[in-house]
Amino acid sequence: MKNKKRRSFQLSEKQLGYAMVIPSLVLVMVVVLWPVAQSFYNSLFDYRLNDPSRSQLMLSATIDLERYVDNQFYIGSQLDSLLESAENEADAETVKGIQQDVENYHAELISDETIKTKVEKIDELLASFTPVRDSELKYSKVDNAFAEEYQGALESHAAALAEIAASSSDDTSGQQFQQTSDLLASTAGNILSSNFIGLDNYGKYMKDQRMWKAMGNTAFFTVISVAFELVLGLAIALLINRAFKGRGIIRATVLIPWAIPTAVAAMMWGFLYDGQSGIIAHYLEAFNLIPGSSWLLTTSDGGMFSIILADVWKTTPYMALLLLAGLQTIPQSLYEASSVDGANRFQQFWSITLPLLKSSILVALLFRTLDAFRVFDLIYVLTGGGPANATESISVYAYKTLFAQQNFGEGSVLSVIVFISVAIISLLYVKLIGSDLFDGRTK
Amino acid sequence: MNKRGGIGFYLFLIIFVFLVMFPFIWVFLTSIKPPREIFSSFSWFTSNPSLDSYEAALTNRPLVRYMINSFAVSALTTILSLVFASFTAYAVTRLPIKGKGLILGLVLAASMFPQIAIISPMFNLVTDLGLRNSYMGLVIPYITISLPLAIWILATFFKKIPYELEESAKLDGASPFQTFRKIILPLAAPGIFTTGILVFIAAWNEYLFALTINSDDAWRTVPVGISMYQSQYSIPWGDISAATVIVTIPIVILVLFFQKRIVSGLTSGSVKE
């Protein structure tokens, strides 16, 4: 590609610029923007992976062709044998009527060319006992009115056969009728009505106690841990902002908690907090700081305290680093001038350090607040959201709904709620920080 | 502030280092205790150190396999995102294109998106592509985290390279792409390396995608693998301590070697120069 460029044509700077930007933009669209949009779209459906009648997004009525074709195959022969075992004329008439009706509906269904081809393909696959994996082939849209009618017909026929079965004097023929009735009912179940429910899921969560509790937990965790991290981080940054021997050791000390995986840190803290063999639980109890060694992980307050302490331990160093870098950009001459004017150190802090550090603080706060609000690994590994959902964050709740309950519709609502909250938080911060965020990057 | 510290200052530093490192110290001390002692006493040092826990940690669970998985996924993610990000960062900082603010804004916004809002469509996508329990199955979602991060940090590094060199290359008749490849890339190499370390660490630490997409034990990464050491009935703290020590060592080495670079990369996005 490079050679071609050199020989045949040269991209102008502008063209090259766009060519270089496009791959990343496409990637960001595909892996970030599209999934978020899809999450929002999913949240409008009653969409559950573990329920075959709702495991697809269906804007209109849909037919599960694989199961339908499989069932339909037996309907004809079963109805034929019912005709033979019918005890009286009336029953035989009913069966004949059903046979005619079902045939008509099926003919109408496959009068659509695409459905007909699909049915034939599935027939072949089923004959060789191959499951249908391609969801394009397996499902087909059908007209809403037709679907409802067909489904209604199958259900009423099933009921009619069940009635005959109940009144039948002969056990074997009764069983036969019941069997066919079940078959018709299950075929009716292969015709799926649309699972588009609009904003109903949102309405449900607005009234959901657990959602509000999770939201409250997340907000509490975010505010308290970020506040502690800011104060401690600033204090540490101010203290180590000087020349001293052993800076390397301090820097490494500060970086290691930041660099290890949160899940590993959570396991470590889980061990330190453990009611039986945890050293921190043991010491805190020995110094009467907590009611008992099991308080940390088995009570609501203890659980919240535990995750906040672990988070402060893991991320304060990062905060201190960011603030230290900000401190080092403040010119020394400002402090010298103010000492000449007789300002004490406290005054210097308020009128020089804080104002000049403001943008560093805001940027650090922005990143930390967003991270804390999305908290997942720490809570999921350390407490699992327990005890009794007392430490469950909104992300943990969303994860449990999505993957433990396999409910992608409702789970998506929760993830959209996280997304919207994060968007609001970022907008607030970006407004506070202003255009500083982009300084030094674009020309 | 060019004050020098006194004894009080160094005392503070020692306490600080001790407090921050305490969990590691304790976990290390636990890992060399014979398993029975862990549950019976709180004494700091054991009189008969043993490596039983290490043996158990390596044999009860495929810890080495987890580390290989993590390494492969993180390395692939790092290489891919560095390639795409260096193009983009160069174009945004150096070439006369329109909408730079918009592009950077989009990148920054993308880095703020919560993973939980991406996970379910991503899970369906990876499942449909047949990539669950594979390296690529994690590399694709990891791009969501690593690409914006890499673009953001690289943009700062590219910005610092003096323009004079580029100008003279242009006068010598180099095409814009040649300038990028022969002038900018070599000069930006340290910055790219730093960005690579940060991206690698971010990918190494990722939990949510790894937990949901690679659910097969043989394909788990380190963070997920470690969190699965606890069984429903008992928590083998000895194994967990030893495993923690084993997986922390590479990170400690990385940090010790590259601490200055890591700090410069971490702070490059937050401080105005």
Side-chain angles (χ1 to χ4, degrees), chain A residues 370-428:
Chain A
L370 292 183
D371 262 355
F373 198 86
R374 298 180 286 196
V375 61
F376 174 78
D377 332 8
L378 179 67
I379 294 178
Y380 187 74
V381 177
L382 188 53
T383 65
N389 298 339
T391 58
E392 188 175 71
S393 77
I394 190 91
S395 291
V396 173
Y397 185 22
Y399 174 82
K400 286 180 184 166
T401 312
L402 283 171
F403 292 100
Q405 297 175 20
Q406 306 252 301
N407 192 333
F408 269 34
E410 292 184 2
S412 297
V413 172
L414 291 168
S415 35
V416 168
I417 291 176
V418 181
F419 174 75
I420 293 172
S421 315
V422 163
I424 293 172
I425 297 173
S426 342
L427 283 180
L428 288 180

Short mmCIF file of all heavy atoms in Angstrom, two decimals, chain A residues 370-428:
data_model
loop_
_atom_site.label_atom_id
_atom_site.label_comp_id
_atom_site.label_asym_id
_atom_site.label_seq_id
_atom_site.Cartn_x
_atom_site.Cartn_y
_atom_site.Cartn_z
N LEU A 370 -16.50 8.64 37.77
CA LEU A 370 -17.07 7.74 36.78
C LEU A 370 -16.70 6.29 37.09
O LEU A 370 -17.53 5.40 37.03
CB LEU A 370 -16.59 8.11 35.38
CG LEU A 370 -17.13 9.43 34.86
CD1 LEU A 370 -16.66 9.67 33.44
CD2 LEU A 370 -18.64 9.45 34.91
N ASP A 371 -15.43 6.08 37.45
CA ASP A 371 -14.99 4.72 37.79
C ASP A 371 -15.77 4.19 38.98
O ASP A 371 -16.20 3.04 38.99
CB ASP A 371 -13.50 4.73 38.14
CG ASP A 371 -12.66 4.32 36.96
OD1 ASP A 371 -13.26 3.94 35.94
OD2 ASP A 371 -11.43 4.37 37.07
N ALA A 372 -15.92 5.02 39.99
CA ALA A 372 -16.60 4.58 41.21
C ALA A 372 -18.07 4.29 40.91
O ALA A 372 -18.64 3.33 41.42
CB ALA A 372 -16.47 5.62 42.31
N PHE A 373 -18.67 5.09 40.06
CA PHE A 373 -20.09 4.89 39.77
C PHE A 373 -20.34 3.60 39.01
O PHE A 373 -21.38 2.98 39.13
CB PHE A 373 -20.65 6.08 38.98
CG PHE A 373 -22.15 6.16 39.05
CD1 PHE A 373 -22.78 6.80 40.09
CD2 PHE A 373 -22.93 5.55 38.08
CE1 PHE A 373 -24.16 6.85 40.17
CE2 PHE A 373 -24.31 5.58 38.15
CZ PHE A 373 -24.93 6.24 39.20
N ARG A 374 -19.34 3.20 38.21
CA ARG A 374 -19.51 1.97 37.43
C ARG A 374 -19.06 0.75 38.21
O ARG A 374 -19.00 -0.34 37.66
CB ARG A 374 -18.65 2.05 36.16
CG ARG A 374 -19.03 3.17 35.24
CD ARG A 374 -18.15 3.18 34.03
NE ARG A 374 -16.81 3.67 34.31
CZ ARG A 374 -15.95 4.06 33.37
NH1 ARG A 374 -16.30 4.02 32.11
NH2 ARG A 374 -14.76 4.50 33.68
N VAL A 375 -18.72 0.91 39.48
CA VAL A 375 -18.05 -0.16 40.23
C VAL A 375 -18.74 -1.50 40.04
O VAL A 375 -19.95 -1.63 40.16
CB VAL A 375 -17.95 0.19 41.73
CG1 VAL A 375 -19.32 0.36 42.35
CG2 VAL A 375 -17.16 -0.86 42.49
N PHE A 376 -17.93 -2.50 39.68
CA PHE A 376 -18.48 -3.83 39.52
C PHE A 376 -17.58 -4.90 40.16
O PHE A 376 -17.99 -5.56 41.12
CB PHE A 376 -18.69 -4.16 38.03
CG PHE A 376 -19.13 -5.57 37.81
CD1 PHE A 376 -20.45 -5.94 38.04
CD2 PHE A 376 -18.23 -6.56 37.42
CE1 PHE A 376 -20.86 -7.24 37.88
CE2 PHE A 376 -18.63 -7.87 37.26
CZ PHE A 376 -19.96 -8.21 37.48
N ASP A 377 -16.33 -5.02 39.68
CA ASP A 377 -15.46 -6.12 40.11
C ASP A 377 -15.32 -6.19 41.62
O ASP A 377 -15.44 -7.25 42.21
CB ASP A 377 -14.02 -6.01 39.58
CG ASP A 377 -13.86 -5.28 38.29
OD1 ASP A 377 -14.85 -4.70 37.81
OD2 ASP A 377 -12.75 -5.30 37.77
N LEU A 378 -15.01 -5.03 42.22
CA LEU A 378 -14.71 -5.00 43.65
C LEU A 378 -15.88 -5.58 44.44
O LEU A 378 -15.72 -6.48 45.27
CB LEU A 378 -14.44 -3.55 44.07
CG LEU A 378 -14.12 -3.36 45.55
CD1 LEU A 378 -12.80 -4.00 45.89
CD2 LEU A 378 -14.09 -1.89 45.92
N ILE A 379 -17.09 -5.08 44.17
CA ILE A 379 -18.27 -5.53 44.92
C ILE A 379 -18.62 -6.96 44.56
O ILE A 379 -18.90 -7.79 45.43
CB ILE A 379 -19.44 -4.57 44.65
CG1 ILE A 379 -19.12 -3.20 45.24
CG2 ILE A 379 -20.72 -5.12 45.24
CD1 ILE A 379 -20.16 -2.16 45.00
N TYR A 380 -18.56 -7.27 43.28
CA TYR A 380 -18.97 -8.60 42.84
C TYR A 380 -18.09 -9.68 43.47
O TYR A 380 -18.58 -10.72 43.90
CB TYR A 380 -18.89 -8.68 41.31
CG TYR A 380 -19.45 -9.96 40.74
CD1 TYR A 380 -20.83 -10.16 40.70
CD2 TYR A 380 -18.62 -10.96 40.27
CE1 TYR A 380 -21.35 -11.33 40.19
CE2 TYR A 380 -19.14 -12.13 39.76
CZ TYR A 380 -20.51 -12.31 39.72
OH TYR A 380 -21.03 -13.47 39.22
N VAL A 381 -16.79 -9.41 43.57
CA VAL A 381 -15.88 -10.42 44.12
C VAL A 381 -15.88 -10.38 45.65
O VAL A 381 -15.87 -11.41 46.30
CB VAL A 381 -14.45 -10.23 43.57
CG1 VAL A 381 -13.49 -11.22 44.21
CG2 VAL A 381 -14.43 -10.39 42.07
N LEU A 382 -15.89 -9.18 46.22
CA LEU A 382 -15.72 -9.07 47.68
C LEU A 382 -16.99 -9.46 48.43
O LEU A 382 -16.94 -10.24 49.37
CB LEU A 382 -15.29 -7.63 48.03
CG LEU A 382 -14.89 -7.37 49.48
CD1 LEU A 382 -13.83 -8.35 49.94
CD2 LEU A 382 -14.35 -5.95 49.63
N THR A 383 -18.14 -8.92 48.05
CA THR A 383 -19.36 -9.22 48.81
C THR A 383 -20.45 -9.85 47.95
O THR A 383 -21.44 -10.32 48.47
CB THR A 383 -19.96 -7.94 49.42
OG1 THR A 383 -20.38 -7.08 48.36
CG2 THR A 383 -18.98 -7.21 50.29
N GLY A 384 -20.28 -9.83 46.63
CA GLY A 384 -21.32 -10.35 45.75
C GLY A 384 -22.59 -9.50 45.83
O GLY A 384 -23.66 -9.93 45.40
N GLY A 385 -22.49 -8.31 46.39
CA GLY A 385 -23.67 -7.45 46.52
C GLY A 385 -24.36 -7.63 47.87
O GLY A 385 -25.22 -6.87 48.25
N GLY A 386 -23.95 -8.67 48.60
CA GLY A 386 -24.58 -8.98 49.88
C GLY A 386 -23.99 -8.17 51.00
O GLY A 386 -23.17 -7.30 50.74
N PRO A 387 -24.32 -8.39 52.23
CA PRO A 387 -25.42 -9.25 52.68
C PRO A 387 -26.78 -8.62 52.39
O PRO A 387 -26.93 -7.40 52.59
CB PRO A 387 -25.19 -9.35 54.19
CG PRO A 387 -24.35 -8.16 54.53
CD PRO A 387 -23.54 -7.84 53.33
N ALA A 388 -27.70 -9.43 51.89
CA ALA A 388 -29.06 -8.99 51.59
C ALA A 388 -29.07 -7.75 50.69
O ALA A 388 -29.77 -6.78 50.96
CB ALA A 388 -29.86 -8.74 52.87
N ASN A 389 -28.28 -7.76 49.63
CA ASN A 389 -28.23 -6.68 48.65
C ASN A 389 -27.81 -5.34 49.24
O ASN A 389 -28.00 -4.30 48.62
CB ASN A 389 -29.58 -6.48 47.96
CG ASN A 389 -29.99 -7.70 47.18
OD1 ASN A 389 -29.14 -8.52 46.83
ND2 ASN A 389 -31.26 -7.85 46.91
N ALA A 390 -27.22 -5.34 50.43
CA ALA A 390 -26.88 -4.07 51.08
C ALA A 390 -25.73 -3.36 50.38
O ALA A 390 -25.57 -2.15 50.54
CB ALA A 390 -26.53 -4.31 52.54
N THR A 391 -24.89 -4.09 49.66
CA THR A 391 -23.79 -3.42 48.98
C THR A 391 -23.94 -3.52 47.47
O THR A 391 -23.00 -3.27 46.73
CB THR A 391 -22.43 -4.03 49.38
OG1 THR A 391 -22.45 -5.42 49.05
CG2 THR A 391 -22.16 -3.86 50.85
N GLU A 392 -25.12 -3.91 47.00
CA GLU A 392 -25.29 -4.12 45.57
C GLU A 392 -25.28 -2.78 44.82
O GLU A 392 -26.08 -1.90 45.10
CB GLU A 392 -26.63 -4.82 45.33
CG GLU A 392 -26.81 -5.26 43.90
CD GLU A 392 -28.09 -6.07 43.76
OE1 GLU A 392 -29.18 -5.47 43.85
OE2 GLU A 392 -27.99 -7.28 43.58
N SER A 393 -24.36 -2.65 43.88
CA SER A 393 -24.33 -1.44 43.07
C SER A 393 -25.22 -1.66 41.86
O SER A 393 -25.60 -2.80 41.56
CB SER A 393 -22.91 -1.11 42.64
OG SER A 393 -22.52 -1.96 41.58
N ILE A 394 -25.49 -0.59 41.15
CA ILE A 394 -26.41 -0.70 40.02
C ILE A 394 -25.81 -1.59 38.92
O ILE A 394 -26.52 -2.36 38.27
CB ILE A 394 -26.80 0.71 39.52
CG1 ILE A 394 -27.93 0.66 38.51
CG2 ILE A 394 -25.65 1.49 38.99
CD1 ILE A 394 -29.27 0.77 39.13
N SER A 395 -24.48 -1.55 38.76
CA SER A 395 -23.87 -2.43 37.75
C SER A 395 -23.98 -3.90 38.15
O SER A 395 -24.18 -4.76 37.29
CB SER A 395 -22.39 -2.08 37.58
OG SER A 395 -22.24 -0.84 36.97
N VAL A 396 -23.81 -4.17 39.44
CA VAL A 396 -23.91 -5.56 39.89
C VAL A 396 -25.34 -6.06 39.69
O VAL A 396 -25.57 -7.17 39.21
CB VAL A 396 -23.50 -5.67 41.38
CG1 VAL A 396 -23.77 -7.07 41.90
CG2 VAL A 396 -22.03 -5.33 41.55
N TYR A 397 -26.32 -5.21 40.00
CA TYR A 397 -27.73 -5.57 39.81
C TYR A 397 -27.99 -5.84 38.33
O TYR A 397 -28.63 -6.83 37.96
CB TYR A 397 -28.61 -4.44 40.34
CG TYR A 397 -30.10 -4.72 40.34
CD1 TYR A 397 -30.60 -6.03 40.31
CD2 TYR A 397 -31.02 -3.68 40.39
CE1 TYR A 397 -31.96 -6.28 40.32
CE2 TYR A 397 -32.38 -3.91 40.39
CZ TYR A 397 -32.86 -5.22 40.35
OH TYR A 397 -34.20 -5.44 40.35
N ALA A 398 -27.47 -4.96 37.47
CA ALA A 398 -27.66 -5.14 36.03
C ALA A 398 -27.03 -6.45 35.57
O ALA A 398 -27.64 -7.22 34.82
CB ALA A 398 -27.06 -3.96 35.26
N TYR A 399 -25.83 -6.74 36.05
CA TYR A 399 -25.15 -7.97 35.65
C TYR A 399 -25.97 -9.20 36.06
O TYR A 399 -26.14 -10.13 35.28
CB TYR A 399 -23.76 -8.04 36.28
CG TYR A 399 -23.08 -9.36 36.01
CD1 TYR A 399 -22.44 -9.59 34.80
CD2 TYR A 399 -23.13 -10.39 36.94
CE1 TYR A 399 -21.86 -10.81 34.54
CE2 TYR A 399 -22.56 -11.62 36.68
CZ TYR A 399 -21.92 -11.82 35.48
OH TYR A 399 -21.37 -13.04 35.22
N LYS A 400 -26.48 -9.18 37.30
CA LYS A 400 -27.25 -10.33 37.79
C LYS A 400 -28.51 -10.52 36.96
O LYS A 400 -28.89 -11.65 36.63
CB LYS A 400 -27.63 -10.14 39.25
CG LYS A 400 -26.47 -10.33 40.21
CD LYS A 400 -26.96 -10.12 41.63
CE LYS A 400 -25.83 -10.21 42.64
NZ LYS A 400 -26.28 -9.67 43.95
N THR A 401 -29.18 -9.41 36.62
CA THR A 401 -30.40 -9.52 35.81
C THR A 401 -30.07 -10.03 34.41
O THR A 401 -30.77 -10.88 33.88
CB THR A 401 -31.09 -8.15 35.71
OG1 THR A 401 -31.15 -7.59 37.02
CG2 THR A 401 -32.49 -8.28 35.15
N LEU A 402 -28.97 -9.52 33.86
CA LEU A 402 -28.62 -9.92 32.49
C LEU A 402 -28.19 -11.38 32.42
O LEU A 402 -28.67 -12.13 31.59
CB LEU A 402 -27.47 -9.05 31.97
CG LEU A 402 -27.80 -7.64 31.50
CD1 LEU A 402 -26.52 -6.88 31.22
CD2 LEU A 402 -28.65 -7.68 30.25
N PHE A 403 -27.26 -11.77 33.30
CA PHE A 403 -26.63 -13.07 33.08
C PHE A 403 -27.06 -14.15 34.05
O PHE A 403 -27.02 -15.32 33.69
CB PHE A 403 -25.11 -12.91 33.05
CG PHE A 403 -24.66 -12.15 31.84
CD1 PHE A 403 -24.35 -10.80 31.93
CD2 PHE A 403 -24.63 -12.76 30.60
CE1 PHE A 403 -23.98 -10.08 30.81
CE2 PHE A 403 -24.26 -12.05 29.48
CZ PHE A 403 -23.93 -10.71 29.58
N ALA A 404 -27.48 -13.80 35.28
CA ALA A 404 -27.96 -14.86 36.16
C ALA A 404 -29.41 -15.18 35.81
O ALA A 404 -29.79 -16.34 35.74
CB ALA A 404 -27.82 -14.44 37.62
N GLN A 405 -30.21 -14.15 35.55
CA GLN A 405 -31.61 -14.40 35.18
C GLN A 405 -31.79 -14.52 33.68
O GLN A 405 -32.89 -14.81 33.22
CB GLN A 405 -32.50 -13.27 35.69
CG GLN A 405 -32.54 -13.12 37.18
CD GLN A 405 -33.34 -11.90 37.61
OE1 GLN A 405 -34.15 -11.39 36.85
NE2 GLN A 405 -33.11 -11.44 38.82
N GLN A 406 -30.75 -14.23 32.92
CA GLN A 406 -30.81 -14.26 31.45
C GLN A 406 -31.91 -13.36 30.91
O GLN A 406 -32.48 -13.64 29.88
CB GLN A 406 -31.07 -15.69 30.98
CG GLN A 406 -30.07 -16.68 31.52
CD GLN A 406 -29.13 -17.16 30.46
OE1 GLN A 406 -29.53 -17.73 29.45
NE2 GLN A 406 -27.87 -16.91 30.66
N ASN A 407 -32.24 -12.32 31.65
CA ASN A 407 -33.29 -11.42 31.20
C ASN A 407 -32.66 -10.20 30.55
O ASN A 407 -32.34 -9.21 31.20
CB ASN A 407 -34.15 -11.01 32.40
CG ASN A 407 -35.42 -10.33 31.96
OD1 ASN A 407 -35.47 -9.73 30.88
ND2 ASN A 407 -36.44 -10.41 32.77
N PHE A 408 -32.47 -10.28 29.23
CA PHE A 408 -31.76 -9.22 28.52
C PHE A 408 -32.60 -7.96 28.37
O PHE A 408 -32.07 -6.88 28.23
CB PHE A 408 -31.29 -9.71 27.15
CG PHE A 408 -29.91 -10.31 27.18
CD1 PHE A 408 -29.48 -11.01 28.28
CD2 PHE A 408 -29.05 -10.16 26.11
CE1 PHE A 408 -28.20 -11.56 28.33
CE2 PHE A 408 -27.76 -10.70 26.15
CZ PHE A 408 -27.35 -11.41 27.25
N GLY A 409 -33.92 -8.09 28.38
CA GLY A 409 -34.77 -6.92 28.27
C GLY A 409 -34.66 -6.04 29.50
O GLY A 409 -34.27 -4.88 29.43
N GLU A 410 -34.96 -6.64 30.66
CA GLU A 410 -34.93 -5.86 31.90
C GLU A 410 -33.51 -5.47 32.28
O GLU A 410 -33.27 -4.38 32.77
CB GLU A 410 -35.59 -6.66 33.03
CG GLU A 410 -37.08 -6.83 32.80
CD GLU A 410 -37.78 -7.52 33.95
OE1 GLU A 410 -37.11 -7.84 34.95
OE2 GLU A 410 -39.00 -7.74 33.83
N GLY A 411 -32.55 -6.38 32.05
CA GLY A 411 -31.16 -6.06 32.36
C GLY A 411 -30.67 -4.87 31.56
O GLY A 411 -29.93 -4.03 32.05
N SER A 412 -31.13 -4.78 30.30
CA SER A 412 -30.72 -3.66 29.46
C SER A 412 -31.25 -2.35 30.01
O SER A 412 -30.60 -1.31 29.90
CB SER A 412 -31.21 -3.84 28.03
OG SER A 412 -30.62 -4.99 27.48
N VAL A 413 -32.44 -2.39 30.62
CA VAL A 413 -32.97 -1.16 31.24
C VAL A 413 -31.98 -0.68 32.29
O VAL A 413 -31.61 0.49 32.32
CB VAL A 413 -34.33 -1.43 31.89
CG1 VAL A 413 -34.77 -0.22 32.69
CG2 VAL A 413 -35.35 -1.77 30.85
N LEU A 414 -31.52 -1.61 33.13
CA LEU A 414 -30.58 -1.23 34.19
C LEU A 414 -29.28 -0.70 33.60
O LEU A 414 -28.73 0.28 34.08
CB LEU A 414 -30.30 -2.42 35.10
CG LEU A 414 -31.49 -2.83 35.96
CD1 LEU A 414 -31.25 -4.17 36.62
CD2 LEU A 414 -31.77 -1.77 37.02
N SER A 415 -28.80 -1.34 32.51
CA SER A 415 -27.54 -0.83 31.96
C SER A 415 -27.75 0.53 31.31
O SER A 415 -26.85 1.36 31.35
CB SER A 415 -26.87 -1.83 31.03
OG SER A 415 -27.77 -2.56 30.29
N VAL A 416 -28.93 0.74 30.72
CA VAL A 416 -29.20 2.07 30.16
C VAL A 416 -29.25 3.11 31.29
O VAL A 416 -28.76 4.23 31.14
CB VAL A 416 -30.51 2.06 29.34
CG1 VAL A 416 -30.95 3.47 29.00
CG2 VAL A 416 -30.33 1.25 28.08
N ILE A 417 -29.80 2.71 32.45
CA ILE A 417 -29.84 3.64 33.58
C ILE A 417 -28.41 4.00 34.01
O ILE A 417 -28.10 5.17 34.24
CB ILE A 417 -30.63 3.03 34.76
CG1 ILE A 417 -32.11 2.93 34.39
CG2 ILE A 417 -30.45 3.86 36.03
CD1 ILE A 417 -32.97 2.25 35.43
N VAL A 418 -27.52 3.01 34.07
CA VAL A 418 -26.12 3.31 34.40
C VAL A 418 -25.55 4.28 33.37
O VAL A 418 -24.90 5.27 33.71
CB VAL A 418 -25.24 2.03 34.43
CG1 VAL A 418 -23.81 2.38 34.81
CG2 VAL A 418 -25.80 1.01 35.39
N PHE A 419 -25.82 3.98 32.10
CA PHE A 419 -25.28 4.81 31.03
C PHE A 419 -25.75 6.26 31.17
O PHE A 419 -24.95 7.19 31.09
CB PHE A 419 -25.71 4.24 29.68
CG PHE A 419 -25.32 5.11 28.53
CD1 PHE A 419 -24.01 5.16 28.11
CD2 PHE A 419 -26.25 5.90 27.88
CE1 PHE A 419 -23.63 5.97 27.07
CE2 PHE A 419 -25.88 6.72 26.84
CZ PHE A 419 -24.57 6.76 26.43
N ILE A 420 -27.05 6.44 31.40
CA ILE A 420 -27.58 7.80 31.50
C ILE A 420 -26.98 8.52 32.71
O ILE A 420 -26.59 9.69 32.61
CB ILE A 420 -29.13 7.77 31.55
CG1 ILE A 420 -29.66 7.28 30.20
CG2 ILE A 420 -29.70 9.14 31.88
CD1 ILE A 420 -31.14 7.01 30.18
N SER A 421 -26.87 7.81 33.84
CA SER A 421 -26.28 8.45 35.03
C SER A 421 -24.86 8.90 34.73
O SER A 421 -24.47 10.03 35.07
CB SER A 421 -26.26 7.48 36.20
OG SER A 421 -27.46 6.80 36.33
N VAL A 422 -24.08 8.00 34.11
CA VAL A 422 -22.69 8.33 33.80
C VAL A 422 -22.63 9.54 32.85
O VAL A 422 -21.81 10.44 33.02
CB VAL A 422 -21.98 7.10 33.19
CG1 VAL A 422 -20.70 7.50 32.49
CG2 VAL A 422 -21.69 6.09 34.28
N ALA A 423 -23.55 9.56 31.88
CA ALA A 423 -23.57 10.68 30.94
C ALA A 423 -23.85 11.98 31.67
O ALA A 423 -23.19 13.00 31.42
CB ALA A 423 -24.62 10.44 29.86
N ILE A 424 -24.81 11.95 32.61
CA ILE A 424 -25.13 13.18 33.34
C ILE A 424 -23.93 13.63 34.17
O ILE A 424 -23.55 14.81 34.15
CB ILE A 424 -26.37 12.95 34.25
CG1 ILE A 424 -27.60 12.72 33.37
CG2 ILE A 424 -26.58 14.14 35.18
CD1 ILE A 424 -28.83 12.31 34.13
N ILE A 425 -23.30 12.68 34.87
CA ILE A 425 -22.13 13.04 35.68
C ILE A 425 -21.04 13.66 34.81
O ILE A 425 -20.48 14.70 35.14
CB ILE A 425 -21.58 11.80 36.42
CG1 ILE A 425 -22.61 11.25 37.40
CG2 ILE A 425 -20.29 12.14 37.16
CD1 ILE A 425 -22.23 9.94 38.04
N SER A 426 -20.76 13.03 33.65
CA SER A 426 -19.69 13.58 32.80
C SER A 426 -20.04 14.97 32.31
O SER A 426 -19.20 15.85 32.28
CB SER A 426 -19.39 12.71 31.58
OG SER A 426 -19.86 11.44 31.74
N LEU A 427 -21.31 15.15 31.92
CA LEU A 427 -21.69 16.48 31.41
C LEU A 427 -21.49 17.55 32.47
O LEU A 427 -20.97 18.62 32.19
CB LEU A 427 -23.15 16.47 30.96
CG LEU A 427 -23.40 15.79 29.61
CD1 LEU A 427 -24.86 15.82 29.25
CD2 LEU A 427 -22.57 16.48 28.51
N LEU A 428 -21.86 17.21 33.72
CA LEU A 428 -21.69 18.19 34.80
C LEU A 428 -20.21 18.55 34.95
O LEU A 428 -19.85 19.73 35.01
CB LEU A 428 -22.20 17.61 36.12
CG LEU A 428 -23.72 17.48 36.23
CD1 LEU A 428 -24.11 16.88 37.58
CD2 LEU A 428 -24.37 18.85 36.06
#
